[in-house]
Amino acid sequence: MSDAEMADTANITTTEPSTDKPALPQNVRVRFCPSPTGIPHVGMVRTALFNWAEARHTDGTFVFRIEDTDAQRDSEESFNQIIDALTWLGIDWDEGINVGGPDGPYRQSERGEIYQKVAQQLLDAGYAYESFSTPEEIAERNVAAGRPKEFGYDGYDRNLTEEQKEAFRKEGRLPAIRIKMPDEDIVFDDLIRGRIEFKAGSVPDYVIVRPNGDPLYTLTNPVDDAMMRINVVLRGEDLLSSTPRQIVLYRYLMDLGVAKEMPVFGHMPYVMGQGNKKLSKRDPESNLFLHRDHGFIKEGLLNYLALLGWSIAPDNDIFSMDEMVKAFDVRDVKANPGRFDIDKAIAINAEHIRMLEPQDFLNRSVPYLFRDGVVSAATWDELTDREREVLTASAELVQTRVRLLGEVSGMVGSLLSDAEYIAPEDDAKKQLKATAGEVLTAAIAALDAVPEDQWLTDNLHETLNKTLIEEAGYKPRLAFGPIRVAMSGRRVSPPLFESMEIIGKPVSMARLKNLLEHLPEIQG
C-alpha cells in the first residue's frame, strides 16, 4: 500500500483546541528536510523560514537534510535548486548539507544501511512484522467483510505462522514490513493546533519497508529525526495524518535506544491560492524562482511569506528578518490557512526596495538590466562609465517608483539609450490626444532656445510650464503627457524634467521632433 493510500485511511476523529501552549524543549533542534522533486515552491520556503526563525529565536540548531530515496522522482537538478533558493534567501543552517555535522550523512540516499538496521531491530523486538498481502488481496478482504475496498489494511498478516510465511516465500512473494499500531487512542498537543486525538483503530498498521527492500518515508523520516536529535518538528498541515504513526514509531525507537525523546509537533497551515484551493506546485504563484525572475528581493519575499500564518504585531506588515527572529514563536502561528495574494506580496516587496541603500538598489538591479539588454554587463563594476553615471543619477528617481527589480529596465531604458526615437507603447499612445501636435511644436520651439549648459531640471520645468500652461493654457496632463511619451515611449516613467536632464539636449530634442513626425501614423 502506498504512502498516499495509507494517509487517506488515517482520519483525525477529534480535535480539541487548547488555550495552553505546549512547552518547547531546552536546546531546540529543528530541521528542514525537503524532497528534491521539482522547482522550490513558496510553501516549501515558508516551512524552511519558520524552522529557521524558531532556531534563531531560541538560539537553537537548524538542521538541513535531503529526503531523496524516491529515485524515480528525485533529481540532482532539484537538489541544486533547493540549495540555490536557501542561499539566495539567506536561510542558513547549522548542520547538514554542505556544512556537515555529527549525524551525517545528510542525504537519505546515503543512509540505506542505517534504515535496514533499524527495520531489523523493529522486527526482532516484535514492533514490526512481515506482510505478504497484495493490494488486491486487501481490497478483496475488505469487500468480503462488507467494508469499502479502499478501507485500508486489515491487519491480516500480524499473526502469520512461520509455515504460512514460508509458503508465501515459495510462491515468490517478498514481504513488506509493517509497524504494529497499538489498540489505543493517540493523543498529542500540537504547538499550533492544540490537543489532537486519533481514535483507536483509525490508523492501520502501515508499511515502513517495501517488498523490494526500499525504506519508506514512514521509516526514514522518524529515524533521521531521532538520530539527529530533532526535538521540534515543524511541518505542513498535509503531514498531520502521519503524526500518529510517527508517535508510535518514536515510542518503539525510544524503547530500542535509537531515540532519546519524543519530539513536539507543530503543523503549519496550508498556503492557499486562487479559488479557495491549496496552492499547487503547478500554480505560477508557487514558483519561487519565477518570483525572483520578476524582481522580488529576498527581504520582501521572506517578509510576505512570514505573514502566511503569522504576524509580528497588529497593523504591522513590514519587518526585517532580524525583527522576525526577535519576535517569532511558532506557538503564535495561526491554524487557519494563509492565502497567497500576489498583489500584497508585490506591495510589501516595493516597501523593502525603497528601504535599500541607493547603491545596493543599483547593484541588485544591474543583473535584471543586463538580462533585458539595457546595459552592457551583469555587475556594477563591469558597466561603462556612462552607464554608471546615468544609473547613479536615476536611482532616486526610479527606486521609489518600482515594485519589482524587473520593472527597473522599463524605467531607465530610455535614459540609457541614445536612440533619437522611441516608438510609444500602446498605453502611452492613449496619452497623445488631439492637441499633442500643438504641444510638441510649442515645446520644441521653447526648448530650442535653452542653451545646452542650462539644460537642467529646474530650468526645463520653468520653461515648459511657462510655455504650455501659463501662456498656452493647457492642463498639466495635456501639456506634459506628449513630452513624457517622446522621452520614454511609456505612460509611466521617471520624473520628466529630471529625465530630460539625464538624457541631454541633443537626444531630447531629437525625440520630440521625431515623435511629432510620427504623430500622424500613431494617431491615424
Side-chain angles (χ1 to χ4, degrees):
M1 184 181 293
S2 71
D3 287 355
E5 289 170 325
M6 289 191 296
D8 287 342
T9 67
N11 299 311
I12 306 174
T13 55
T14 63
T15 300
E16 302 172 6
S18 172
T19 56
D20 295 328
K21 298 177 180 178
L24 289 171
Q26 296 290 324
N27 303 316
V28 165
R29 290 180 63 84
V30 295
R31 47 58 162 184
F32 175 55
C33 48
S35 297
T37 56
I39 296 173
H41 56 87
V42 296
M44 173 193 291
V45 173
R46 199 271 306 265
T47 297
L49 173 62
F50 282 11
N51 276 280
W52 173 85
E54 189 63 49
R56 297 294 171 259
H57 175 74
T58 58
D59 292 324
T61 302
F62 182 38
V63 180
F64 169 38
R65 68 174 189 255
I66 290 289
E67 301 195 338
D68 60 345
T69 55
D70 189 339
Q72 292 184 334
R73 298 179 62 224
D74 298 333
S75 74
E76 198 67 16
E77 179 185 14
S78 178
F79 168 78
N80 291 327
Q81 288 174 335
I82 293 171
I83 302 294
D84 180 19
L86 296 182
T87 302
W88 169 56
L89 293 168
I91 297 177
D92 59 344
W93 54 97
D94 306 298
E95 299 174 13
I97 300 295
N98 297 342
V99 170
D103 306 308
Y106 291 95
R107 296 184 70 158
Q108 285 187 344
S109 57
E110 300 172 4
R111 296 172 63 84
E113 292 183 5
I114 295 173
Y115 306 133
Q116 289 176 6
K117 179 180 177 181
V118 173
Q120 189 60 52
Q121 287 178 280
L122 290 165
L123 281 171
D124 293 342
Y127 297 135
Y129 61 92
E130 294 179 321
S131 173
F132 294 85
S133 293
T134 66
E136 293 77 16
E137 289 170 341
I138 295 169
E140 288 172 4
R141 289 199 299 266
N142 284 332
V143 171
R147 299 186 296 262
K149 66 177 182 180
E150 301 86 1
F151 187 78
Y153 180 65
D154 57 0
Y156 177 84
D157 301 83
R158 263 196 182 211
N159 301 308
L160 291 178
T161 64
E162 290 302 320
E163 290 77 10
Q164 288 173 310
K165 293 178 185 178
E166 186 60 30
F168 281 130
R169 287 192 175 92
K170 287 182 178 178
E171 291 179 16
R173 295 199 194 191
L174 297 174
I177 299 177
R178 290 183 183 272
I179 288 291
K180 288 181 180 178
M181 289 295 290
D183 186 20
E184 62 186 55
D185 297 347
I186 306 296
V187 181
F188 69 98
D189 291 318
D190 191 279
L191 290 165
I192 295 170
R193 300 167 186 278
R195 177 62 56 91
I196 295 179
E197 180 178 344
F198 290 78
K199 287 296 186 182
S202 65
V203 182
D205 296 349
Y206 62 93
V207 176
I208 58 171
V209 179
R210 289 192 177 99
N212 65 3
D214 288 345
L216 291 174
Y217 167 88
T218 47
L219 175 68
T220 60
N221 181 273
V223 167
D224 287 348
D225 282 348
M227 291 188 164
M228 296 176 189
R229 305 178 311 288
I230 302 302
N231 52 23
V232 179
V233 174
L234 307 179
R235 56 189 189 171
E237 179 182 355
D238 54 320
L239 294 172
L240 179 57
S241 63
S242 71
T243 305
R245 300 187 185 93
Q246 297 209 346
I247 289 173
V248 168
L249 180 54
Y250 245 95
R251 292 174 184 171
Y252 299 158
L253 294 177
M254 291 168 67
D255 288 344
L256 294 172
V258 176
K260 293 183 177 180
E261 61 181 316
M262 180 74 68
V264 290
F265 293 86
H267 291 88
M268 294 173 283
Y270 286 121
V271 177
M272 306 299 285
Q274 300 294 325
N276 294 320
K277 294 181 180 179
K278 181 185 174 185
L279 193 64
S280 164
K281 287 184 178 183
R282 293 179 292 276
D283 294 329
E285 295 91 344
S286 74
N287 186 324
L288 178 74
F289 291 145
L290 189 61
H291 294 307
R292 184 171 67 176
D293 290 345
H294 287 163
F296 272 88
I297 62 175
K298 62 182 182 180
E299 295 88 342
L301 188 55
L302 287 174
N303 183 166
Y304 181 68
L305 293 181
L307 295 172
L308 297 177
W310 180 79
S311 63
I312 194 168
D315 302 319
N316 180 13
D317 284 347
I318 308 298
F319 47 85
S320 68
M321 287 301 98
D322 286 343
E323 291 170 323
M324 180 184 181
V325 165
K326 185 176 181 180
F328 188 80
D329 186 330
V330 69
R331 293 169 293 185
D332 295 330
V333 173
K334 301 176 182 65
N336 295 330
R339 185 173 305 282
F340 192 92
D341 182 339
I342 188 63
D343 292 331
K344 184 173 182 179
I346 290 173
I348 287 174
N349 194 70
E351 293 292 332
H352 281 279
I353 285 178
R354 295 185 190 106
M355 289 189 282
L356 297 176
E357 292 295 325
Q359 189 58 53
D360 188 15
F361 166 71
L362 291 174
N363 292 343
R364 299 196 200 197
S365 297
V366 169
Y368 293 89
L369 298 174
F370 179 68
R371 177 196 69 184
D372 297 338
V374 175
V375 295
S376 60
T379 66
W380 177 261
D381 290 340
E382 294 177 290
L383 298 180
T384 66
D385 292 342
R386 170 61 179 164
E387 288 169 336
R388 286 197 293 268
E389 177 186 344
V390 170
L391 290 175
T392 299
S394 64
E396 64 179 286
L397 310 179
V398 173
Q399 188 173 352
T400 58
R401 287 170 170 78
V402 297
R403 306 167 304 160
L404 302 163
L405 293 183
E407 297 173 348
V408 176
S409 295
M411 298 290 275
V412 303
S414 60
L415 306 181
L416 288 160
S417 173
D418 57 5
E420 295 187 344
Y421 174 65
I422 299 178
E425 297 177 357
D426 288 341
D427 62 344
K429 293 177 182 179
K430 297 175 183 178
Q431 305 299 306
L432 301 175
K433 307 300 183 183
T435 56
E438 301 168 5
V439 167
L440 290 169
T441 300
I444 290 167
L447 292 173
D448 194 43
V450 177
E452 194 164 345
D453 62 356
Q454 295 298 309
W455 194 265
L456 304 172
T457 297
D458 291 343
N459 199 21
L460 294 169
H461 188 185
E462 181 180 345
T463 299
L464 289 175
N465 194 68
K466 179 180 179 182
T467 301
L468 299 175
I469 295 179
E470 294 177 9
E471 294 179 358
Y474 293 110
K475 293 181 179 179
R477 180 173 57 85
L478 294 175
F480 301 137
I483 301 172
R484 182 183 304 279
V485 174
M487 293 301 110
S488 67
R490 293 165 52 91
R491 182 180 64 83
V492 179
S493 69
L496 176 59
F497 308 108
E498 289 86 342
S499 297
M500 293 176 70
E501 179 180 336
I502 293 171
I503 294 168
K505 181 174 181 178
V507 174
S508 293
M509 293 299 295
R511 289 181 183 177
L512 290 167
K513 292 174 182 176
N514 282 319
L515 178 59
L516 179 62
E517 181 180 337
H518 285 85
L519 204 56
E521 64 189 68
I522 293 171
Q523 294 179 327

